[in-house]
Structure formats: C-alpha cells, structure tokens
C-alpha cells in the first residue's frame, strides 16, 4: 500500500524519471519529541521540505512521530501540527497540496515510553517494509528531547531498534550538549557506548543558516583575493554578533541553568569563529579535513580570563525567575543575559587581531552577523563629494556575512566595493539590487556588492537535508564539542559569581552595554558605576579596620583584582629603583597558579617596565622537561616571557633536564644554578623574590619536614614534594633570605585556613616553611586578598 501510494503520487506529479531510481531503498524517520515546541516550529516543516525535495530521488519514506504522550491524544496533537504545514513559496500550489496529503498519509504517531514500545516500533517498520517488498536504506532518529533523556533512549534504540546490516543509522542530537567540559565528556562517553561517531549528528542550527554555512565556501572560492589580506597585517578586528529583542520570559527554567554564554557563545558564535579563524583545508567539503583544521584553530586560542568578558542582566530577569521558578523574593540570580567576550588567537595569521563575540536578550534589535573589518591605510586628499565614493579607498573595507533579520531582513553576503568583487556560485546566490535608503554599519548599501540566496531556506530544512545526504561537515563531532567546552569552561568557572551590569532592556539601554578593548581585556565604556546584583556583598570600603601588619611584616590586602594591580605596580617600582641603582634588576619568580594573573598583568599593562635590564630567575622548578605543561618555566614563558622583550641571555631557567635525565644528583644541576647566581647576582642577593604559600605552609618547593633547604648554606637544593611530580629543585630558605625584597602573594578562600594559622604561629620552618622567610637585611611584604584573609 505504501509503495503504491508513493508511486501514484510521483507519477501524478510527473516526478519519477525511471522505476530503477525508485529502488534505492526505504528511509524511516523517527522524530522523538514530536509534539514539542521545536518539532512544532521547525522540525516537521523541515521534514516536509525534505520530502518535497527528495520525493523523486529514488528513496521511499515513512515518518514516525513519537513522544511519551498516550496514543490518541499524541496522535491528535501531532496531526494538528501536520495539517498546518506551509508550502514553500517556490513550490506550485497544486503539486504542494498533493505532496502534503501524501506526507500526512506517510506519517504516524507512536508512544515511545518503554523498551517494549521500541521493540514494537522496530517490528512495525520491518513488517511494513516486508509487506511492500522494500529494502531498508537507513533510519534517522531525531532526538528533540532534553539531554537527560538521551541515554535511556539511546539504550533502547541500540538494543531493539537498529536497522539491519547494510542499512545506515543516523542519530540526530539537539543542544545543550552538556553544561561544562566535565558534563559534556560524561554525556559523550554515555552516547559513545551505544553509537559510533559516524552515526551521531549533533545539531547546531546556526550551521544551517545560509550566510554562516557559506563562510568556508566563500573563503575557498575567493582564495585569490583573500590569501594576501586574511591575516593580522590587514584585518583590524572581527565581530560575531547575535542580538535578540525578546527576553527569557517563559524559558527561565532553561536559562537559569545555562545563561547567554552556554546558550549562544559556546556553540553558535564559536562555530562561526572557527570558520573564520581556521586554516582552509585543501577540500572544504571533506568533513575530516575541516574537523582537523577546526581542532588546530581551537588549540591556538588564548585562554580566556575573567577580564576577557563583560556581563549584563536585563532588570526584569530576576523577577521573572522568582515568578516562574517560585523563588523567594530575596533570590539573587547571577545568570548573565548579555555577554561581550574578547578572544585572541596565538597563531601567526591572527596574532593581535581581536575577535569580539557578543550576544544578549532584551537588546535594541534582532540581528545576527559576522563582520570582518579590514585596516585602512589610505589617506584621501580629495573631498569625498568630488569623486566615485563607491570605490573610495578611504571608506571602510569589510566583509559581512549577514545571518538575518535587522535592516536587511534576509541572509546576505556583503563585500565592500573597494575590496574586490567576490566569486559567488550563481546557482545559490544572486546579486541583489541595492536599496538606496538602507545603510549597513554607517554606509549606504550601494557601497557593497550584495548577494542574497536564490532560494531562502530555514536552517532546520538545510540541516535535515544534510542529515539525509550524510554531510557530517555541517554537524558537531565529539572532538569538536569537547574542544569548545575545554576553551569556554575556565571562563565560566571564573565568572560564576562576577557582578553583572543591570540594563533596562530595548532602546533604553543606550550606551550602558558599550564596551571597549584595553590591553587584551574588555571593560564597559560608561564611567558610571556598575550595579551589583548582590547588595549584601562587602566591598573593600566596608572593612573599616584591617591590620596593616601580618607576622610583624607589612600587609597589603584588597580584592584579588586590585591586589594584583597593586603588586604589579610595586614590582615595577622596585625594578626601576634597582636599575637606577645598579643598572640591573634580578627577579626570582615562583611557580603555581597564583602568579599567573600577575604575569599577565605585567605583560599587558606595564609597558614602562625595564625588561631590557631585567634578569628572570626561577625560585623553584618541577623535575619535568621545560616544555612540559607542569613546568614552572613553561608557565612563566606562556604567560609572561613570550609577551615581553627581555634579552634572551637574561632568562635563567633551572637546569632540571641535563644529559637527557631529570634532576639526577650526579649531573650537578643544583651546583650549576648556584654558580650562575653567584656569578651574576651581586652577593647572591636577589633584588626581589616572589613567593606563594601552599595550604600546608610550604613555599617555593620547600615542604614541611624537608630534609634539605630549610637551613644551612644559601644554595640550590633538590627536594621531594608530597604530590606529583615529586622531585623538585628549589632555592634554599637561607638563599631566599638574602634577598633585598621578598613579596608573598596569597589568593583565594582555599588559603584562608593556612593564613589564619600563620597569623598565630611563630618561627617554625620545619612545620611551616613559609614561617622561616625572614630576609636578613631586606624587607618582607605580604600581599593577601580579602578571600584568603577573611574567608
């Protein structure tokens, strides 16, 4: 019956070239969550479009809607949606009406709740195929359900609903794919236990947007024009933007868990970023080559810090959360509804080029675009009014992939006329007639070559077509997914309690959300103070009395950001004094996580620092190769040395790797370092030693009950750490105490207990090595943030 219906329809429409082409096999499409919002808005329409496009492809189809709802009400809900399916504007009404009627006849509803339900579905599909004498080509299972349901459904499909050997299986998964790196890894591992990588199609609907999907083909087809200019020497900046006028009302249960970064930036905008920043593969249609280039681009991205982002929340959000989630009146949400994030890539092509990713709700307009703005080196002597302004070299030069909505209200690709006339495939894109009254980024549309799609397609229709064709390059692989979460998770953790700027929403936002880039960081441009979401949080001015001494030495305390700023300034001042006195500044730096933010601060904000006259030494080192990520030198190099101009011979890593061995006594690495210090540092007295404190009271790599380094000669020693890597090399306590200045940096709540303990104990370096730091003729200063000091 099914085959007769298909053939009758196809013959009637004159769409079947030959019976041979009708024997390519049958495809069963199972839509899980068939009565949900996504299915109603996009998925059924996308499946109908697939049927319209492929009815004469030689495949036959059946469509199975499935949900937890019982058979009769579920069937009623589903067919209410199917009856409202719209005909594409480019389809003749008569043909579409017949195909729509056929589509409804090929669709049926199933309740899929138990293992038995899945077994029964499988039997029905097999019986139907057997009855019609059809060979099975494959099955598509579209998961339009919450991720917590994935594992159970996957288990049922794998155990009782797989197609027979020779037929393919394609499982389509909707975001969110995890909440952070750990949860994404867990979900990926669970799914991989049921499906092979090639069977999974993770949907990011942004990849179905025609302008976004054309970024790679555009770069490929215009290599001759772009190769010379697609780099740091010509690109001023890149903006990837998705603005929405709607708020989160009705969706706060989802939004409160995810927020704007997880909802939009980690996926949609990051994928667009990859298409721009990645190196072009030899074949942009090969999914494997594209994936490898994307992974390389991820590896080149610079780690995001708290100051890489500005965050906001529209004012009505808190009350919406309280109402929809039944939260108390005093409930404070720290979920951002707006984010602007500055990203840098450290590869040679993009070094120094800012990539700005911005998205938010309750903004002034609904628009999405990817904009590449080029540097303009021209100066035009003649007045603009006296010449051909369309090709003026003094006008902005840009390429814009216009995702939709906004002033144009259609997908488009725009290229400034003073750049080049792009190559565009005429079967897919047509040159649009410029509307004289429209302006894009301050320029009339006539200043651009403008191209719009020949056939405008909904993103889900594009993606469903790609699933049918097995085009994996339009979907997110497991490696791609985990690389993205690995990049975004550190930022998400660092901003989890960061104050948000409140904004009224819509046009009333005015300049409140404008932000600017300063020294590799971003900050709001409006000078008025940011409103804190938590008015009860104490600020530095609230602490009326904080002791100015700690263990009889000067104490400087502030919130961590201000503390790091002060410490960096004090180090620069100490350096200037030392260089003025002796022409050199000898600085010994500790490893660990605390100094990393200081290193970045010094690299990005202290351009007057006398690096040319500075010698950089290590206080301690792990016994690993210097290229190992565990190495203290590796950290100093990554976060400081590669960003400053310090003479090569002024950098003194500890010699832990000699004769292809690590920290072997016979290699005398400790003696070599001690001799180097004696030869270059007057009286072996460093101008400044920077130390940290461990939760056990250790400092440098001098641990409680260490057998060497806590007393005796001022030298360099090998020590044992209680945690891996166990072997360490360290300056001894007597050598540290010869320094002219010792600064101790202590950050975070995790250090509160040891700080409290140290405030009470005396000189006991065997128990708490940090208590033995007492410069014999120099000064000790403690830099302790409020969280470490006050808990």
């Amino acid at each position: 019956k099914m085959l007769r219906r298909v053939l009758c329809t196809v013959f009637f429409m004159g769409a079947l070239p030959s019976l041979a082409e009708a024997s390519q096999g049958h495809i069963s499409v199972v839509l899980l969550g068939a009565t949900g919002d996504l299915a109603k808005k996009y998925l059924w329409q996308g499946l109908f479009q697939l049927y319209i496009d492929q009815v004469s492809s030689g495949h036959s189809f059946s469509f199975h809607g499935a949900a937890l709802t019982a058979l009769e009400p579920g069937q009623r809900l589903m067919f209410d949606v199917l009856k409202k399916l719209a005909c594409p504007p480019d389809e003749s009404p008569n043909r579409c009406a017949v195909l729509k009627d056929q589509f409804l006849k090929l669709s049926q509803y199933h309740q899929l709740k138990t293992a038995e339900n899945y077994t029964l579905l499988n039997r029905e599909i097999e019986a139907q195929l057997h009855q019609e004498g059809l060979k099975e080509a494959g099955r598509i299972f579209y998961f339009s359900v919450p991720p917590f349901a994935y594992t159970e459904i996957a288990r049922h499909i794998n155990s009782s609903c797989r197609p027979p050997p020779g037929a393919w299986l394609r499982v389509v998964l909707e975001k969110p794919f995890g909440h952070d790196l750990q949860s994404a890894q867990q979900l990926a591992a669970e799914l991989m236990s049921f499906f092979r990588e090639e069977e999974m199609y993770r949907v990011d609907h942004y990849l179905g947007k025609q302008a976004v999907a054309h970024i790679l083909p555009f770069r490929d087809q215009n290599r001759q024009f772009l190769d010379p200019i697609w780099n740091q020497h010509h690109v001023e900046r890149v903006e990837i933007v998705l603005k929405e006028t709607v708020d989160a009302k009705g969706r706060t249960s989802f939004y409160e868990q995810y927020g704007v970064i997880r909802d939009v930036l980690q996926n949609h905008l990051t994928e667009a970023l990859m298409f721009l920043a990645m190196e072009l593969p030899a074949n942009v249609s090969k999914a494997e080559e594209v994936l490898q280039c994307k992974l390389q681009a991820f590896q080149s991205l610079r780690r995001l810090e708290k100051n890489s982002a500005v965050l906001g929340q529209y004012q009505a959000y808190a009350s919406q959360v309280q109402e929809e989630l039944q939260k108390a009146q005093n409930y404070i949400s720290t979920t951002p509804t707006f984010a602007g994030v500055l990203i840098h890539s450290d590869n040679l092509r993009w070094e120094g080029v800012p990539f700005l990713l911005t998205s938010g709700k309750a903004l002034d307009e609904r628009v999405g675009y990817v904009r590449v703005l080029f540097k303009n080196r021209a100066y035009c002597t003649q007045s603009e009014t006296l010449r051909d302004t369309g090709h003026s070299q003094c006008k902005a030069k840009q390429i814009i992939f216009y995702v939709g909505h906004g002033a144009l209200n259609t997908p488009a690709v725009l290229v400034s006329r003073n750049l080049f006339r792009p190559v565009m495939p005429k079967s897919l894109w047509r040159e649009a007639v410029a509307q004289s009254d429209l302006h894009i980024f301050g320029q009339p549309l006539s200043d651009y070559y403008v191209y719009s799609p020949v056939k405008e397609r909904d993103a889900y229709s594009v993606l469903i077509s790609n699933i049918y064709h097995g085009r994996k390059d339009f979907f997110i692989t497991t490696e791609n997914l985990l690389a993205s979460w690995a990049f975004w998770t550190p930022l998400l953790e660092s901003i989890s309690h960061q104050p948000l700027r409140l904004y009224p929403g819509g046009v009333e936002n005015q300049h409140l959300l404008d932000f600017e880039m300063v020294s590799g960081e971003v900050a709001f441009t409006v000078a008025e103070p940011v409103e804190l979401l938590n008015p009860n949080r104490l600020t530095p001015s609230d602490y009326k009395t904080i002791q100015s001494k700690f263990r009889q030495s000067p104490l400087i305390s502030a919130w961590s950001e201000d503390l790091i700023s002060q410490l960096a300034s004090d180090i620069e001042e100490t350096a200037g004094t030392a260089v003025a006195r002796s022409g050199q500044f000898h600085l010994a730096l500790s490893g660990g996580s605390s100094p990393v933010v200081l290193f970045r601060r010094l690299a990005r904000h202290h351009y007057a620092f006398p690096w040319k006259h500075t010698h950089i030494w290590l206080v301690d080192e792990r016994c690993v190769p210097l290229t190992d990520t565990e190495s203290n030198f590796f950290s100093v190099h990554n976060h400081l040395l590669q960003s400053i101009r310090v003479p090569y011979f002024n950098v003194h890593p500890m010699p832990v790797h000699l004769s292809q061995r690590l920290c072997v006594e016979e290699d005398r690495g400790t003696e070599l370092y001690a001799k180097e210090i004696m030869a270059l540092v007057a009286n072996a007295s460093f101008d400044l030693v920077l130390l940290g404190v461990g939760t056990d009271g250790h400092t440098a790599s001098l641990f409680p009950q260490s057998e060497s380094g806590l007393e005796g000669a001022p030298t360099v020693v090998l020590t044992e750490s209680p945690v891996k890597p166990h072997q360490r090399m360290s300056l001894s306590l007597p050598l540290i105490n010869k320094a002219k200045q010792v600064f101790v940096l202590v950050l975070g709540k995790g250090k509160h207990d040891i700080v409290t303990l140290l405030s009470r104990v005396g000189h006991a370096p065997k128990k708490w090595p940090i208590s033995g730091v007492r410069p014999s003729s120099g000064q000790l200063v403690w830099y302790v943030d409020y969280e470490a000091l006050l808990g």
Side-chain angles (χ1 to χ4, degrees):
K1 288 178 183 176
M2 182 194 302
L3 182 59
R4 281 201 299 275
R5 286 202 301 261
V6 172
L7 292 180
C8 286
T9 301
V10 170
F11 276 126
F12 175 76
M13 300 315 301
L16 186 66
S18 71
L19 280 173
E21 285 188 26
S23 60
Q24 289 185 28
H26 183 81
I27 295 173
S28 304
V29 181
V30 182
L31 175 55
L32 297 134
T35 56
D37 281 346
L38 186 65
K40 288 177 189 174
K41 286 181 182 176
Y42 303 110
L43 300 184
W44 280 116
Q45 189 67 48
L47 291 173
F48 180 43
Q49 183 68 57
L50 174 71
Y51 183 64
I52 291 172
D53 293 342
Q54 303 302 328
V55 69
S56 59
S57 68
H59 283 122
S60 58
F61 293 86
S62 59
F63 300 91
H64 305 266
L68 297 174
T69 311
L71 187 61
E72 281 190 26
Q75 205 164 30
R76 192 165 53 251
L77 284 169
M78 188 183 96
F79 278 95
D80 283 348
V81 175
L82 298 190
K83 288 168 188 171
K84 294 173 186 172
L85 291 174
C87 289
D90 53 356
E91 198 62 63
S92 76
N94 288 342
R95 181 175 188 267
C96 183
V98 173
L99 289 176
K100 181 175 175 180
D101 180 61
Q102 190 61 36
F103 182 77
L104 265 66
K105 288 175 182 173
L106 294 173
S107 302
Q108 52 187 304
Y109 178 81
H110 306 262
Q111 183 185 33
L112 288 184
K113 199 170 185 179
T114 65
E116 290 74 23
N117 294 149
Y118 285 85
T119 304
L120 183 60
L121 171 65
N122 186 58
R123 282 186 198 142
E124 286 183 22
I125 292 172
E126 289 177 346
Q128 209 169 34
L129 293 169
H130 180 72
Q131 184 182 347
E132 304 289 357
L134 295 172
K135 180 186 175 185
E136 186 159 18
R139 296 182 190 180
I140 297 171
F141 284 87
Y142 200 120
F143 286 39
S144 180
V145 296
F148 66 76
Y150 282 4
T151 304
E152 186 183 354
I153 294 171
R155 185 181 293 111
H156 291 321
I157 292 171
N158 186 53
S159 64
S160 59
C161 231
R162 275 185 170 274
W168 45 256
L169 172 67
R170 291 174 190 156
V171 176
V172 189
L173 305 162
E174 276 285 347
K175 77 176 185 75
F177 312 117
H179 186 264
D180 54 19
L181 178 58
Q182 185 180 357
S183 59
Q185 287 171 328
Q186 183 181 342
L187 181 57
E190 288 169 357
L191 290 170
M192 291 290 279
S193 67
F194 302 114
F195 306 126
R196 297 190 300 276
E197 180 64 40
E198 64 268 23
E199 294 176 328
M200 290 187 283
Y201 288 68
R202 288 184 186 84
V203 170
D204 183 332
H205 81 272
Y206 226 58
L207 299 187
K209 300 282 187 182
Q210 287 167 290
V212 176
H214 195 61
I215 294 174
L216 273 188
F218 179 90
R219 288 181 59 193
D220 184 47
Q221 292 152 12
N222 291 278
R223 285 180 193 250
Q224 57 177 326
F225 305 118
L226 292 175
D227 277 355
I229 62 172
W230 201 256
N231 56 56
Q232 58 169 313
H233 304 296
H234 294 272
V235 175
E236 181 179 313
R237 71 182 187 191
V238 176
E239 299 169 1
I240 305 173
V241 176
L242 177 58
K243 294 165 65 177
E244 297 182 88
T245 53
V246 297
D247 59 20
K249 191 172 184 179
R251 291 185 71 226
T252 57
S253 60
F254 166 82
Y255 215 80
E256 188 64 0
Q257 292 181 64
Y258 290 92
V260 67
I261 294 179
R262 291 180 174 91
D263 187 35
V264 177
L265 278 76
Q266 178 272 327
N267 35 71
H268 304 333
L269 304 195
T270 299
E271 286 304 308
L273 167 67
M274 289 297 103
F275 286 160
L276 293 171
M278 64 186 269
E279 293 300 308
L280 268 184
N283 186 344
V284 296
S285 297
K286 276 204 167 180
E288 301 82 9
E289 289 185 33
V290 171
L291 172 63
Q292 288 311 309
C293 290
K294 283 169 86 173
L295 293 176
Q296 288 167 13
F298 269 119
Q299 288 164 10
S300 299
L301 296 181
R302 193 180 296 168
R303 180 187 166 96
L304 293 174
E305 302 297 330
K306 188 163 65 172
N307 291 335
S308 303
V310 288
L311 305 170
Q313 185 187 94
Y314 65 84
Q315 286 172 346
Y317 179 76
S319 59
Q320 289 170 353
V321 170
Q322 289 166 7
E323 181 184 341
E324 292 179 20
L325 304 184
Q326 283 87 51
K327 298 287 186 182
Q329 284 298 308
N330 60 352
Y331 175 77
I332 301 294
S333 170
T334 55
T335 302
T337 61
F338 168 84
V341 178
L342 173 61
I343 294 174
H344 281 100
S345 172
D346 285 329
N347 79 356
L348 289 175
R349 182 184 295 277
W350 298 114
E351 193 171 8
V353 177
F355 289 81
L356 289 168
L357 274 61
T358 305
S359 185
K361 291 194 171 292
L363 301 182
D364 61 318
E365 62 176 336
R366 183 186 184 190
V367 69
Y369 60 83
V370 176
R371 180 190 185 206
V372 182
L373 182 64
F374 292 86
K375 294 175 182 176
N376 201 327
R377 296 184 171 88
Y379 170 75
C380 297
T381 307
Q382 193 82 339
S383 168
E384 293 283 332
T385 57
L386 301 177
R387 56 200 162 100
D388 179 8
T389 55
H391 292 80
S392 167
Q393 289 303 307
C394 284
K395 288 203 168 188
K397 300 177 180 183
Q398 49 198 330
I399 297 171
I400 303 159
F401 299 93
Y402 204 87
V403 180
H405 304 290
L408 289 180
N409 201 32
T410 181
V413 176
L414 300 89
V415 179
S416 293
R417 289 181 180 271
N418 56 8
L419 265 177
F420 58 85
R421 177 185 278 276
V423 175
M424 297 289 281
K426 290 183 179 177
S427 61
L428 299 174
W429 295 85
R430 59 166 172 250
E431 190 165 0
V433 180
Q435 301 173 46
S436 57
D437 57 330
L438 274 184
H439 283 67
I440 302 293
F441 298 110
Q443 289 181 262
L445 214 54
S446 57
D447 283 0
Y448 302 94
Y449 295 111
V450 183
Y451 297 85
S452 58
V454 172
K455 267 187 184 179
E456 198 169 327
R457 283 279 190 256
D458 167 72
Y460 278 99
S461 296
V462 172
L463 291 173
I464 287 170
S465 173
N466 288 322
I467 295 161
Y468 165 79
H469 288 291
R471 288 285 307 273
K472 286 282 286 184
D473 49 321
F474 279 82
F475 300 89
I476 311 299
T477 65
T478 302
E479 279 186 288
N480 188 160
L481 173 71
L482 298 182
S484 180
W485 275 121
F487 173 67
W488 285 100
T489 297
L491 175 70
L492 289 164
E493 289 173 349
S494 70
I495 61 172
S496 57
H497 299 294
Q498 188 168 327
L500 308 175
R501 171 161 292 195
L502 296 180
Y503 59 98
V507 292
E508 291 179 41
N509 295 333
Q510 295 294 314
H511 303 296
L512 265 178
L513 298 178
D514 294 351
F515 58 93
E516 60 186 351
M517 299 170 284
V518 182
S519 303
E521 299 174 352
V522 283
F524 286 115
T525 55
V526 177
E528 58 195 275
V530 177
E531 294 183 63
L532 291 176
L533 282 181
N534 187 352
N536 299 320
R537 181 182 174 184
L538 295 172
T539 58
S541 61
D542 292 312
Y543 294 113
K544 303 301 181 189
T545 55
I546 289 183
Q547 66 270 33
S548 58
K549 294 269 184 183
F550 183 77
R551 294 183 57 80
Q552 290 79 53
S553 295
L555 168 69
I556 295 171
S557 194
W559 291 117
S560 58
E561 225 170 286
D562 298 327
L563 186 71
I564 291 297
S565 176
Q566 182 63 52
L567 175 56
S569 297
D570 290 350
I571 292 174
E572 182 176 350
E573 186 180 338
T574 305
T577 303
V579 170
R581 183 179 64 244
S582 63
Q584 293 181 327
F585 175 54
H586 288 276
L587 171 64
L589 298 172
S590 286
S593 56
S594 293
V596 168
V597 282
L598 170 68
F599 297 159
R600 293 195 185 113
R601 179 84 195 179
L602 287 168
R604 297 177 190 175
H605 293 269
H606 291 263
Y607 298 108
F609 200 103
W611 294 116
K612 186 178 176 183
H613 305 285
T614 298
H615 284 257
I616 293 179
W617 303 82
L618 271 290
V619 170
D620 64 325
E621 183 58 279
R622 296 170 167 93
C623 292
V624 296
L626 299 184
T627 53
D628 193 301
T629 53
E630 292 274 353
S631 161
N632 289 342
F633 178 77
F634 182 87
S635 176
V636 173
H637 176 269
N638 259 24
H639 302 297
L640 179 63
L641 296 180
Q642 69 175 1
S643 304
I644 60 175
R645 291 185 177 179
V646 62
Y648 175 80
F649 292 107
N650 286 13
V651 179
H652 309 280
M654 281 186 157
V656 293
H657 199 183
L658 298 171
S659 305
Q660 297 183 327
R661 303 187 294 184
L662 292 166
C663 294
V664 175
E665 267 190 67
E666 297 84 70
D667 294 334
R668 298 186 173 180
T670 54
E671 288 180 38
L672 286 172
Y673 207 57
K675 283 179 181 176
E676 192 176 1
I677 292 168
M678 293 297 290
L680 296 175
V681 183
N683 195 33
S685 176
F686 290 104
D687 294 300
L688 175 59
V689 173
L690 178 70
L691 297 176
V693 180
T695 53
D696 60 353
H698 84 264
T699 191
S701 278
L702 303 171
F703 298 92
Q705 312 305 324
S706 281
E707 293 181 9
S708 57
L710 296 177
E711 52 192 16
T715 186
V716 182
V717 295
L718 290 176
T719 66
E720 287 283 325
S721 164
V723 295
K724 290 183 179 180
H726 296 299
Q727 277 192 302
R728 306 290 176 94
M729 187 179 287
S730 179
L731 304 185
S732 70
L733 205 51
L735 182 54
I736 290 169
N737 282 334
K738 291 189 73 173
K740 297 179 180 70
Q741 293 254 50
V742 177
F743 292 171
V744 181
L745 175 62
V746 192
L747 299 176
K749 278 186 182 177
K751 301 289 177 68
H752 176 60
D753 289 346
I754 189 63
V755 168
T756 304
L757 181 67
L758 290 172
S759 69
R760 297 169 184 161
V761 302
H763 179 78
K766 282 280 184 184
K767 282 187 175 180
W768 304 287
I770 187 67
S771 70
V773 176
R774 291 181 172 183
S776 51
S777 56
Q779 185 186 36
L780 168 64
V781 183
W782 291 82
Y783 291 80
V784 187
D785 77 346
Y786 287 139
E787 289 192 330
L789 189 66
L790 302 163

